[in-house]
Amino acid sequence: MSEAVTTPTHCPYCALQCGMSLRRSPEGTGSVEVVDRTDFPVNRGALCGKGRTAPAVLSSRVRLTEPLVRCPDTGALKSATWEEALAAVADGLRRTRADHGPNAVGVFGGGGLTNEKAYALGKFARLVLATSQIDYNGRFCMSSAAAAHQRAFGLDRGLPFPLEDIPRTGCVILVGSNLAETMPPALRYLTELKENGGRLIVVDPRRTRTAEQADLHLAPRPGTDLALALGLLHLVVAEGRVDDEFVRTRTQGWEAARAGAMAHWPELVERITGVPVPLLREAMRMFCDAENAMVLTARGPEQQSKGTDTVGAWINLCLATGRAGRPLSGYGCLTGQGNGQGGREHGQKADQLPGYRKLDDPAARAHVARVWDVPPESLPGPGRSAYELLDALGGDVRTLLLMGSNPVVSAPHAGHVEQRLRSLDFLAVADVVLSETAELADVVLPVTQWAEETGTTTNLEGRVLLRRRALTPPPGVRSDLEVLHALAALLGWEKGFPTDPEEVFDELRRASAGGPADYSGISYRRIQEEDGVFWPCPEVPRTSPSDGAPEADGASGAGTGGRPHPGTPRLFLDRFATPDGRARFVSVVHRASGEETDDEYPVVLTTGRVVAQYQSGAQTRRVEELNSAAPGPFVELHPRLAERIGVADGERVAVVSRRGRAVAPARITTAIRPDTVFMPFHWPGEGRANTLTNPALDPVSRMPEFKTCAVRLEPA
């Protein structure tokens, strides 16, 4: 009997990109089994329930296995051949361009697409469609942190250090993150931190499973994280804990930032946030007393209409105390989506070209245009951000090509977004499953999944990883690269869109060369040999043995000259990525959320995730084991609030905002503030949390305000 085949790869879900192996029969038949991969340093064999059950979505019982085209007579989706489906999509794209111009065609991508697919999708939008209207759902993930990184450090990478540094620091302030539910294997880093004598401060309006691990839990009112960070910096100044030498030699802009912080005295911050002054002082001293310390933020402070300034305030705290640009200290962002980092680095974001180049930079345009063999002036300029693009559907944007996203569930003001999608002249969706968004499409294209294709992703550390193909996809399913290749050919581009992912990655390397996110020294071979490579990793010239001329060496690691670039696990140790090498303080002051409570809407709603579901739930809601653990939405509220509105635990409660109404069972707990309710956002239908959320946008990052809006509660 032949032995089973085991393929090392990575989980398809969050930005940890945990290592796992898949075991199958040599014939490629039968079920696929997840096997622990203890040698991968990020998770060391640990997996959450989502990772362990990921193969369940490979089943033909739950996934798409043939194209679907909407029947003009019945209005229903019906089976079609690939030739029919691709022709319909090409006709829809061509017709809209001819009638309304290229910017009437939009493209919406996903943070789960591999780097190769994200790169190809951005190239397809800008070359084949010549449209500026492209963005992706990663805009809803960490765009505020990315903008703050750029302003302060000159470079955006989720974590500027590897996860292994976290247990070795002295104190961590974790802001707006519930790792125990969102990234369970990462919780071990906080456990090890405490075992090593370090301290953990958690900032969250709920006493989550993560907050229960903390030495100190601060529970501010949602939307007041900015005031909290400013209040801590005020105390740092008032108690003489500023690292004057670091501020003088490695930063600029301190005086303006200091003035902003000094306007937020402790008693004022207590009134704004609800966090008592003694706890503010305890947090500041715990942070400053440690020899090394870190601040880690996630969606809590970022998904606000002032998210960029909020993250900037936490960065200011790190800079003022010398907790950046040195080993075992710094600020980092816990990226959420599987390839949210790489997805924006290589072309899905409205204002960026591959390599994290800015689309309005003439030198960047010229470099990428050379790789693509087109004139720089042919590239369109920056387009709309994600929510603005969705809001324009049916108006300026008449046709949409959507890959790997489910905005009917995941977008803010989701009822409005659903109406916009329904108003399109033409909608084409490429996805693994028939999501709520795909159900609205004129054409649905079934595409391969993580285990059925090879491609790279970039995890929250900036570590470029390789997912490997472990099994053959079912008949009737094609890869996204094959879809883009075929559509490009139908629209007149016979070359430039290869279907081999390694060939696409080699082009991506050239396009990224010299950019902030330089992948040119990375290859599939190096990734496999080194458990991933941290960017930036430029290609290093080497000396030819024949004539002494420099040759490229970094991609393969071979050659007789200089050694390949080792990659960059830790950023900013010598200098920041600004022109003068100094970090920038940003002067910020607290301001109200986009929507405050009042007599009609007296309660604050905040949203988030549960451990057994992922993002819009399009895939995890199809896994029986996960549905058993988390079968549906709920409304978490404090007993005093429940008593006031007359709702008992388990009874249905209606949550009403200015945008709509959602209904779900009440879950009564003292683990939440009495002025706040919480809803997870994984489900469609009457319990859809994003029916309620506010699309108010951060002026810099264009991040919607998912984390706070005003609501009222009613018995249902």
Side-chain angles (χ1 to χ4, degrees), residues 116 454-456 466 501-502 505 522-528:
E116 293 80 1
T454 294
T456 60
L466 185 65
E502 189 167 10
F505 187 78
I522 304 175
S523 68
Y524 278 20
R525 175 180 164 185
R526 276 198 67 179
I527 295 170
Q528 293 179 76

Side-chain angles (χ1 to χ4, degrees), residues 230-284:
L230 287 164
L232 293 177
L233 183 53
H234 178 109
L235 290 170
V236 165
V237 176
E239 297 199 10
R241 309 298 291 265
V242 175
D243 187 333
D244 295 314
E245 175 68 11
F246 181 89
V247 169
R248 183 181 62 82
T249 60
R250 298 205 60 190
T251 73
Q252 63 172 255
W254 166 234
E255 288 306 319
R258 180 186 185 278
M262 297 315 290
H264 295 77
W265 59 95
E267 292 75 15
L268 173 63
V269 171
E270 178 178 323
R271 289 201 299 272
I272 294 171
T273 66
V275 178
V277 170
L279 294 186
L280 295 173
R281 294 187 185 278
E282 184 180 356
M284 182 278 296

